[in-house]
Amino acid sequence: MERIWEKINDFSFRLVFNIVLAIIIGLALILHFLSWNFSEKIFIAFSIIGLLPVARSAVLTLIRKKLTIDLLASIALIFAFIAREWHSAAFISLMLAFARIFALWTDRKAQHILEHLLKYRPQQVKVQRNSQTIEIKAEQLMVGDLVVVESGDVIPIDGLVVSGQASINEATITGESELVVKKQGEQVLSSTINESGSLLVKAEKIGKDSTVEKIIALISEATGRKSQSERISDKFTTWYILITLLGSILLFLFSKNINLVLSVLLVTCADDIAVAVPLGFTLAISRAAKMGVLIKGGGVVENLAKIKFFMTDKTGTLTYGKPKISQVNFFDNINESDFLKIVGTASINSHHPASQAAIKYLKERDISIELPQDFLEKPGEGIIIKKNGNNIIVGSLNFLERSGFVATNEQLAMFDKAKQIGLSIAAYGKNGQIVGFLAFEDALRPNAKEILEKTKHLGVVSWHMLTGDNEKVALRVAKEVGFDNFKAGLKPQDKLLFIENFKKQNKGVLAMMGDGVNDAAALALADVSIAMGKGGSDASIEAADVALMKDDLKKVPQIIDFSQQAVRIIKHNFWVWGTVNAVGLVLVFMGTLNPMTAALYNFLTDFLPILNVFRINFLKKSSP
């Protein structure tokens, strides 16, 4: 018996059953209208077969103390049996079979996104171990493995290119089909495809920690979240069923006309809206995924459409988060060659972004770098090294001054000049004297200003930048982009406090955009949160409602515009449904529709809301 129920619950079985049932009943009704003489027993049999799944569903939901449209449909079928309206009953069964097909298709649509990603998980991978290339199972991969990726291979891990060059198709992650060239020192993502070339990649994230596995987990979570419209639809369905049943009972008591009651039930059976609303949000989430944007549920789609206020981090969100040397300044007490040697020796053992930028700068100019004898890095302060008997220190001017270094007035003027234009400073000192400094800038992502303006055209009232960077740097970015307000020098708890206070003082959907671990709490507090999925931290991506799989700010106005269009289409369905039902009821009470024609009317108009939501599949991406 258990195996029988498993088979009945199987997706393929249910889909085939309903398709076959719809085809048989549909053909029988068409032939009946063409004056073929069918025995009533055939339509009785069809009606009973059609009643079984809907009655089972109604009973199961009643046990769970829920009312669904299946209950109303079951009552309509029972009334049709009492009235001996077998053709009407057959029409109800046909209508319900189509509703179940669309519902099953909706569920399948959500699963299809996951299956599309799952097929990009290779079973076997090639790795270099002990100077040999061997093939192992994907689950045997370890962090630190050197993975060989040849032309045509799917990249199985997130990692760093150690050697080689290749053209990578990142469409599975970012939604962009344009090939991206990857070479030594650059990051590659799991499930992307090597179209040409070869790479040796050091595995950094494997299994459930890889990008593709996180996407699969996020989409699984998204499909289980209901939107406000879906929740309203569920509540509406409950009240609608109660009112319809009560109205039908009263109508029968006053009219004693069972055919009139049956006609009303047939016109008002709202299975179309019950299918169309969740289908619309599933289509929206699926379409967004193809655009390279992961949305965690229908409720997020609705919030995206209503954003009034935008908060954003700066580093790694508005900017690339990778400092670039803008100025090299050395003073009279040293020559350029010796200064650059100090820079290289102080930076070579550090993983700080500024040190990495300095090393890149020196390598591009073929300047040799020597290792220090002693190396000490103080996080958040600076670096202290010894080289050939010289004591060298690197960091902020405050750090050097606390360490006993004194800057001349001329040097202070040069520092101030760089800071005034919003540059970050790393000062270098040798044996008690300040010998020079590097000035860094973090380049803005392209079109930041245009993107802000575009969102304001879409209804965003104001943008606020929240950054841990200094006031001068923040001011430069704020002016360049055109922010309404900015706050500098903020710690993670400061961002959280600012958002809490802002929400108390302003009504409307508040969005937060960020990429780092320090943004995770602020992202979780916002009404809708957007994370940089490609370069962002795992914590920020998990805390966020939306992940941009390609760190492209152009996606922000695109996804807001798309969500607004999608929500409008979904909400149109309530108007479509209401208009259709009102017209149908008028026709019933005018005597134009009897049970048979009421069933036909409901069947034909059922397709209007469902066909309407399919427009979401054809929404075009706007350009900033």
Side-chain angles (χ1 to χ4, degrees), residues 499-547:
I499 292 174
E500 283 179 344
N501 291 333
F502 191 92
K503 287 181 73 173
K504 288 176 184 176
Q505 296 168 14
N506 299 273
K507 290 185 178 180
V509 174
L510 183 148
M512 171 70 189
M513 185 164 63
D515 77 307
V517 174
N518 61 339
D519 296 321
L523 288 168
L525 185 62
D527 298 314
V528 56
S529 47
I530 302 171
M532 296 294 182
K534 188 175 178 183
S537 71
D538 292 343
S540 64
I541 294 168
E542 288 170 8
D545 300 310
V546 180

Coordinates of all heavy atoms in Angstrom, one line a residue, residues 499-547:
I499 N 21.4 52.4 10.9 CA 20.2 51.8 10.2 C 19.1 51.7 11.1 O 17.9 52.0 10.7 CB 20.6 50.4 9.5 CG1 21.6 50.6 8.4 CG2 19.4 49.7 9.0 CD1 22.2 49.3 7.8
E500 N 19.3 51.2 12.3 CA 18.2 51.1 13.3 C 17.5 52.5 13.5 O 16.3 52.6 13.5 CB 18.7 50.6 14.6 CG 19.0 49.1 14.6 CD 19.6 48.7 16.0 OE1 20.0 49.5 16.8 OE2 19.6 47.4 16.2
N501 N 18.3 53.5 13.7 CA 17.8 54.9 13.9 C 17.1 55.4 12.7 O 16.0 56.0 12.8 CB 18.9 55.8 14.4 CG 19.4 55.5 15.8 OD1 18.7 55.0 16.6 ND2 20.7 55.8 16.0
F502 N 17.6 55.1 11.5 CA 17.1 55.6 10.3 C 15.7 55.0 10.1 O 14.7 55.7 9.6 CB 18.0 55.3 9.1 CG 17.6 55.9 7.8 CD1 18.1 57.2 7.5 CD2 16.7 55.4 7.0 CE1 17.8 57.8 6.3 CE2 16.3 56.0 5.8 CZ 16.9 57.2 5.4
K503 N 15.6 53.7 10.3 CA 14.3 53.0 10.1 C 13.2 53.5 11.1 O 12.0 53.5 10.7 CB 14.5 51.5 10.3 CG 15.2 50.8 9.2 CD 15.4 49.3 9.4 CE 14.1 48.6 9.2 NZ 14.3 47.1 9.3
K504 N 13.6 53.9 12.3 CA 12.7 54.5 13.2 C 12.1 55.8 12.7 O 11.0 56.2 13.0 CB 13.3 54.7 14.6 CG 13.6 53.3 15.3 CD 14.3 53.6 16.6 CE 14.7 52.3 17.3 NZ 15.5 52.5 18.6
Q505 N 13.0 56.6 12.0 CA 12.6 57.9 11.6 C 12.0 58.0 10.2 O 11.5 59.1 9.9 CB 13.8 58.8 11.7 CG 14.4 59.0 13.1 CD 15.8 59.6 13.2 OE1 16.2 60.2 12.2 NE2 16.5 59.5 14.3
N506 N 12.1 57.0 9.4 CA 11.7 57.0 8.1 C 10.8 55.8 7.7 O 11.2 54.7 8.1 CB 12.9 57.1 7.1 CG 13.7 58.3 7.3 OD1 13.4 59.4 6.7 ND2 14.7 58.2 8.2
K507 N 9.8 56.0 7.0 CA 8.9 54.9 6.6 C 9.2 54.6 5.1 O 9.2 55.5 4.3 CB 7.4 55.3 6.8 CG 7.0 55.3 8.3 CD 5.5 55.6 8.4 CE 5.1 55.6 9.9 NZ 3.6 55.9 10.1
G508 N 9.3 53.3 4.9 CA 9.5 52.8 3.5 C 10.5 51.7 3.5 O 11.3 51.5 4.5
V509 N 10.6 51.0 2.4 CA 11.5 49.9 2.3 C 13.0 50.4 2.2 O 13.3 51.2 1.4 CB 11.2 49.0 1.1 CG1 12.3 47.9 0.9 CG2 9.8 48.4 1.2
L510 N 13.8 49.8 3.1 CA 15.2 50.2 3.2 C 16.1 49.1 2.7 O 16.0 48.0 3.1 CB 15.6 50.6 4.6 CG 17.0 51.1 4.9 CD1 17.0 52.1 6.0 CD2 18.0 50.0 5.2
A511 N 17.0 49.4 1.7 CA 17.9 48.4 1.2 C 19.3 48.7 1.6 O 19.7 49.9 1.8 CB 17.9 48.5 -0.4
M512 N 20.1 47.6 1.8 CA 21.5 47.8 2.2 C 22.3 47.0 1.2 O 22.0 45.8 0.9 CB 21.7 47.3 3.6 CG 23.2 47.2 4.1 SD 24.0 48.8 4.3 CE 25.7 48.3 4.5
M513 N 23.4 47.5 0.8 CA 24.3 46.8 -0.2 C 25.7 46.8 0.4 O 26.2 47.8 0.9 CB 24.3 47.6 -1.5 CG 25.1 46.8 -2.6 SD 24.7 47.5 -4.2 CE 25.2 49.2 -4.1
G514 N 26.3 45.6 0.5 CA 27.6 45.4 1.0 C 28.3 44.2 0.5 O 27.7 43.4 -0.2
D515 N 29.6 44.0 1.0 CA 30.3 42.8 0.5 C 31.1 42.1 1.6 O 31.6 41.0 1.4 CB 31.3 43.2 -0.6 CG 32.5 43.9 -0.1 OD1 32.4 44.9 0.6 OD2 33.6 43.5 -0.5
G516 N 31.4 42.8 2.7 CA 32.3 42.2 3.7 C 31.7 41.6 4.9 O 30.5 41.7 5.1
V517 N 32.5 40.9 5.7 CA 32.0 40.3 6.9 C 31.4 41.4 7.8 O 30.4 41.2 8.5 CB 33.2 39.6 7.6 CG1 32.7 39.1 9.0 CG2 33.7 38.4 6.8
N518 N 32.0 42.6 7.8 CA 31.6 43.7 8.7 C 30.2 44.2 8.2 O 29.6 45.0 8.9 CB 32.6 44.8 8.8 CG 32.9 45.4 7.4 OD1 32.6 44.8 6.4 ND2 33.4 46.6 7.4
D519 N 29.7 43.8 7.0 CA 28.4 44.3 6.5 C 27.3 43.3 6.9 O 26.2 43.6 6.7 CB 28.5 44.5 5.0 CG 29.5 45.6 4.6 OD1 29.5 46.6 5.3 OD2 30.1 45.4 3.6
A520 N 27.7 42.1 7.3 CA 26.7 41.0 7.5 C 25.5 41.4 8.4 O 24.4 41.2 8.1 CB 27.3 39.8 8.0
A521 N 25.8 42.0 9.6 CA 24.8 42.4 10.5 C 23.9 43.5 10.0 O 22.7 43.4 10.1 CB 25.4 42.9 11.8
A522 N 24.5 44.5 9.3 CA 23.7 45.6 8.7 C 22.8 45.0 7.5 O 21.7 45.4 7.4 CB 24.6 46.7 8.1
L523 N 23.3 44.1 6.8 CA 22.5 43.4 5.7 C 21.3 42.7 6.3 O 20.2 42.8 5.7 CB 23.4 42.5 4.9 CG 24.5 43.1 4.0 CD1 25.4 42.0 3.5 CD2 23.8 43.8 2.8
A524 N 21.6 42.0 7.4 CA 20.5 41.3 8.0 C 19.4 42.2 8.6 O 18.2 41.8 8.6 CB 21.0 40.4 9.1
L525 N 19.7 43.4 9.0 CA 18.8 44.3 9.5 C 17.9 45.0 8.5 O 16.8 45.4 8.7 CB 19.5 45.4 10.4 CG 18.7 46.4 11.2 CD1 17.8 45.7 12.2 CD2 19.5 47.4 11.9
A526 N 18.4 45.2 7.3 CA 17.7 45.9 6.2 C 16.5 45.2 5.8 O 16.4 43.9 5.9 CB 18.7 46.1 5.0
D527 N 15.5 45.9 5.2 CA 14.3 45.2 4.6 C 14.7 44.4 3.4 O 14.1 43.3 3.2 CB 13.3 46.3 4.2 CG 12.9 47.1 5.4 OD1 12.6 46.5 6.5 OD2 12.8 48.4 5.3
V528 N 15.6 44.9 2.6 CA 16.1 44.0 1.5 C 17.6 44.3 1.4 O 18.0 45.5 1.4 CB 15.4 44.4 0.2 CG1 15.4 45.8 -0.2 CG2 15.9 43.5 -1.0
S529 N 18.4 43.2 1.4 CA 19.8 43.4 1.4 C 20.4 42.8 0.1 O 20.0 41.7 -0.3 CB 20.4 42.7 2.6 OG 19.8 41.4 2.8
I530 N 21.5 43.5 -0.4 CA 22.1 43.1 -1.6 C 23.6 42.9 -1.4 O 24.3 43.7 -0.8 CB 21.9 44.1 -2.7 CG1 20.4 44.4 -2.9 CG2 22.6 43.7 -4.0 CD1 20.1 45.6 -3.8
A531 N 24.1 41.7 -1.7 CA 25.5 41.4 -1.5 C 26.2 41.1 -2.9 O 25.6 40.7 -3.8 CB 25.7 40.1 -0.6
M532 N 27.5 41.5 -2.9 CA 28.3 41.2 -4.0 C 28.7 39.7 -4.0 O 29.5 39.2 -3.1 CB 29.6 42.0 -4.0 CG 29.3 43.5 -4.1 SD 28.7 43.9 -5.8 CE 28.5 45.6 -5.7
G533 N 28.0 38.9 -4.8 CA 28.2 37.4 -4.7 C 29.5 36.9 -5.2 O 30.0 35.8 -4.8
K534 N 30.2 37.6 -6.1 CA 31.4 37.1 -6.7 C 32.6 37.4 -5.8 O 33.4 36.5 -5.5 CB 31.6 37.6 -8.1 CG 32.8 37.0 -8.8 CD 32.9 37.5 -10.2 CE 34.1 36.9 -11.0 NZ 34.2 37.5 -12.3
G535 N 32.7 38.6 -5.4 CA 33.8 39.0 -4.6 C 33.5 39.2 -3.1 O 34.4 39.4 -2.3
G536 N 32.2 39.1 -2.7 CA 31.8 39.3 -1.4 C 32.1 38.1 -0.4 O 32.4 37.0 -0.9
S537 N 32.0 38.4 0.9 CA 32.3 37.3 1.8 C 31.1 36.4 1.9 O 30.0 36.7 1.6 CB 32.6 38.0 3.2 OG 31.4 38.5 3.7
D538 N 31.4 35.1 2.4 CA 30.4 34.2 2.6 C 29.3 34.7 3.6 O 28.1 34.5 3.4 CB 30.9 32.9 3.1 CG 31.8 32.2 2.1 OD1 31.7 32.5 0.9 OD2 32.6 31.3 2.5
A539 N 29.8 35.4 4.7 CA 28.8 35.9 5.7 C 27.9 36.9 5.1 O 26.7 36.9 5.4 CB 29.6 36.5 6.8
S540 N 28.3 37.8 4.2 CA 27.5 38.8 3.6 C 26.5 38.2 2.7 O 25.3 38.6 2.6 CB 28.3 39.9 3.0 OG 29.0 39.4 1.9
I541 N 27.0 37.2 1.9 CA 26.1 36.6 0.9 C 25.0 35.8 1.6 O 23.8 35.8 1.2 CB 26.9 35.6 0.0 CG1 27.9 36.4 -0.9 CG2 26.0 34.8 -0.9 CD1 28.9 35.6 -1.6
E542 N 25.3 35.1 2.7 CA 24.3 34.3 3.4 C 23.3 35.2 4.2 O 22.1 34.9 4.3 CB 25.0 33.4 4.4 CG 25.7 32.2 3.7 CD 26.6 31.4 4.7 OE1 26.5 31.7 5.9 OE2 27.3 30.6 4.2
A543 N 23.8 36.4 4.6 CA 22.9 37.4 5.3 C 22.0 38.1 4.3 O 20.9 38.6 4.7 CB 23.7 38.4 6.1
A544 N 22.4 38.2 3.1 CA 21.7 39.0 2.1 C 20.5 38.3 1.5 O 20.4 37.1 1.5 CB 22.6 39.5 1.0
D545 N 19.5 39.1 1.0 CA 18.3 38.6 0.3 C 18.6 38.5 -1.2 O 18.0 37.7 -1.9 CB 17.2 39.6 0.4 CG 16.8 39.8 1.9 OD1 16.6 38.8 2.6 OD2 16.7 40.9 2.3
V546 N 19.6 39.3 -1.7 CA 19.9 39.3 -3.1 C 21.4 39.2 -3.3 O 22.2 39.8 -2.5 CB 19.4 40.6 -3.8 CG1 19.8 40.6 -5.3 CG2 17.9 40.8 -3.6
A547 N 21.9 38.3 -4.2 CA 23.3 38.2 -4.4 C 23.6 38.5 -5.9 O 23.0 37.9 -6.8 CB 23.8 36.8 -4.1

